[in-house]
Amino acid sequence: MQELRLVAVSEDGTYLVLATAGRGTRFTLPVDDRLRAAVRGNFSRLGQYEIEVESPLRPKEIQARIRAGETAEEIAATAGIPVERVRWFEGPVLQEREYMAQQAQRVAVRLPGESSPGPTLGELVAERLTRRGVPADEIDWDSAKR
């Protein structure tokens, strides 16, 4: 690997001019957010910038699609990116979805003709599914945002 040295900065500050020792071949290096992060020693942000630059989907878009119920595999296939890049943003959103499903199960349902709150939605669903032969251990709750 050849070592480069800084020769100049463009007038507008958008790129650096670098040169090799000896023959002095010159190169330009754009001054972007990744370079600024590296110079500041903020190496944890470099991976984030790489994902933002290389992915056709921004992190916010990936999370919105996960909230809407898409899987990491579906998003990766559609966007043409590795599934690992999608999984980077998946955890917190899956926790949100789980929390919302738990909240829904705890809601008290008022049955027709009654004035006081009745059983919870979770209890009603479990009872009705059990009556239809669905084993309780096969009941799985999830949520999705439209």
Side-chain angles (χ1 to χ4, degrees), residues 81-134:
I81 57 176
V83 72
E84 294 78 30
R85 293 199 193 279
V86 178
R87 293 218 187 277
W88 180 273
F89 305 102
E90 182 183 44
V93 178
L94 292 179
Q95 289 175 350
E96 278 177 30
R97 285 174 44 183
E98 181 181 357
Y99 174 77
M100 294 309 293
Q102 290 170 353
Q103 293 297 99
Q105 291 176 67
R106 292 185 186 121
V107 171
V109 177
R110 185 172 294 151
L111 299 173
E114 293 189 13
S115 58
S116 62
T120 65
L121 180 62
E123 292 167 344
L124 281 175
V125 169
E127 175 201 333
R128 291 183 184 177
L129 287 175
T130 302
R131 272 194 264 152
R132 292 180 184 228
V134 177

